[in-house]
Amino acid sequence: MKLTQPHAKQFKHTLLSVLDLAPITQGSNATETFKRSLDLAQKVDEWGFNRYWLAEHHNMPGIGSSATSIIINHIAQGTKQIRVGSGGIMLPNHASLMIAEQFGTLDALHPGRIDLGLGRAPGSDQLTARALRRTLFSNGEDFPELVEELQAYMSEDVSTGVKAYPGVGQDVPIWLLGSSGFSARLAAAKGMPFSFASHFAPDYMHQAIDLYRSRFEPSETLSKPHVMLGVSLVAADTDEEAEYLSTSRKQQMLDLMRGTPGQFKPPVKNLADHYSPGEIAALERNRGASSYMTGSPETIKQNLSDFIDETGADEIIISSDTFDHDARVRSHEIVAELLT
């Protein structure tokens, strides 16, 4: 199983990748969002990032990547070398056979460049989850069985009966994603690569990494553990500018906490003019200091270096959203300047 593209560069022996939430900015639309995502993907492809993932979310007016497989094809078709995949597909929302067929098709269209990252959360609220599944809401406890089912559809074992065509025998690395110990244990037991959402659940990061590495069982597809950690990052030419740009992401999180998600908002000078002290304090409590990075090139270099030293991550996947597309490109460019 190939996890690294030959062109990929590293920072301190760690691969760097990109997570795109396909933000729909206030006053814009999904068409413009997908154009901007492709432009960013083409640039990070040239700069030596390893992979470009898109996340499945539903019923969120500020996120455009709900039809994740379709957007993956759009990005892969417009790039040359970078791996493209899902970060992730929320498997309980779908029939496993459909996902096996979709990603088998993607790999047939873009051989050796497609990743399938799987999560067990709904990527939405419970009402939307019911609308997606057409069944009662599941708490994800059947996730291990769903993963087994998907793997069986893509395997060459003829005894399983139903197969995914395309899909059987193709090289589509399957990752498990998580924000707790559940997926860490499952990824370890199955010998699969593991991506932890440290920017969502920083308090569980070290526990999940330790669980995965200590319990890892080598498999036919992966001989040793491979940990990729999520980092929320906004880089700019000065610390002050980066902090200002980061208020767009903070507003998105605060609105989500209020239960009023909307389109991605312009930055503001002072969050306290728009949100209560209690709301801002709750946001800061939920943010992991080491997995949230905001600053100038010098600050980002130090923060990333410290984070790698702290975690020993094999790979880091950065989520860097700003309201202005040029600022978003610049944020990734600053990170790219660290790659060698």
Side-chain angles (χ1 to χ4, degrees), residues 302-322:
Q302 188 62 57
N303 287 346
L304 277 172
S305 179
D306 291 344
F307 187 72
I308 291 168
D309 290 343
E310 175 189 352
T311 62
D314 301 292
E315 190 164 353
I316 290 173
I317 187 163
I318 66 169
S319 174
S320 184
D321 293 331
T322 63

Side-chain angles (χ1 to χ4, degrees), residues 65-321:
S65 51
S66 54
T68 317
S69 300
I70 296 174
I71 308 306
I72 288 171
N73 184 57
H74 172 62
I75 297 298
Q77 194 168 25
T79 52
K80 297 178 180 178
Q81 302 180 88
I82 196 166
R83 299 193 67 86
V84 187
S86 58
I89 290 291
M90 301 297 109
L91 190 55
N93 292 342
H94 309 277
S96 297
L97 177 60
M98 293 290 289
I99 296 302
E101 290 172 341
Q102 287 174 16
F103 278 78
T105 300
L106 285 168
D107 184 65
L109 289 168
H110 313 286
R113 294 182 55 210
I114 300 299
D115 296 325
L116 174 51
L118 301 174
R120 69 185 184 104
S124 62
D125 55 88
Q126 292 191 15
L127 183 63
T128 306
R130 284 193 174 94
L132 284 164
R133 301 173 188 181
R134 312 299 297 175
T135 59
L136 293 177
F137 178 72
S138 165
N139 61 7
E141 291 301 320
D142 59 346
F143 183 62
E145 289 74 26
L146 296 177
V147 174
E148 288 276 355
E149 185 180 48
L150 185 146
Q151 289 179 308
Y153 291 142
M154 301 182 79
S155 77
E156 298 186 76
D157 179 3
V158 295
S159 67
T160 58
V162 179
K163 291 296 176 187
Y165 299 108
V168 172
Q170 291 179 249
D171 183 22
V172 182
I174 301 177
W175 292 66
L176 293 191
L177 282 56
S179 56
S180 69
F182 185 101
S183 292
R185 287 190 290 270
L186 182 59
K190 294 179 70 63
M192 301 170 73
F194 177 56
S195 180
F196 186 78
S198 25
H199 52 314
F200 289 163
D203 292 343
Y204 298 98
M205 178 180 70
H206 286 291
Q207 179 188 32
I209 294 171
D210 291 344
L211 272 172
Y212 173 66
R213 287 176 173 153
S214 64
R215 301 190 182 192
F216 183 83
E217 296 288 341
S219 65
E220 292 182 1
T221 56
L222 192 64
S223 61
K224 61 181 181 179
H226 188 97
V227 175
M228 180 164 65
L229 300 178
V231 165
S232 180
L233 180 153
V234 175
D237 291 322
T238 66
D239 288 338
E240 293 76 18
E241 182 187 4
E243 186 59 39
Y244 171 67
L245 294 172
S246 74
T247 60
S248 292
R249 170 63 69 85
K250 291 178 181 178
Q251 289 178 88
Q252 185 185 47
M253 298 301 297
L254 285 162
D255 289 344
L256 191 59
M257 289 165 59
R258 282 181 171 180
T260 57
Q263 292 185 323
F264 205 71
K265 293 179 177 179
V268 295
K269 291 183 178 180
N270 189 1
L271 283 173
D273 293 338
H274 306 272
Y275 303 91
S276 71
E279 288 175 316
I280 295 172
L283 174 68
E284 295 304 322
R285 283 196 300 271
N286 290 333
R287 288 160 52 89
S290 64
S291 55
Y292 275 79
M293 304 177 190
T294 303
S296 65
E298 295 78 14
T299 300
I300 294 298
K301 180 179 181 179
Q302 188 62 57
N303 287 346
L304 277 172
S305 179
D306 291 344
F307 187 72
I308 291 168
D309 290 343
E310 175 189 352
T311 62
D314 301 292
E315 190 164 353
I316 290 173
I317 187 163
I318 66 169
S319 174
S320 184
D321 293 331

Side-chain angles (χ1 to χ4, degrees), residues 7-8 16-18 44 47-51 82 318 332 335-336 339:
H7 83 293
L16 297 183
S17 294
V18 174
V44 299
W47 293 337
F49 284 80
N50 187 42
R51 68 187 86 246
I82 196 166
I318 66 169
H332 289 83
V335 177
L339 293 169

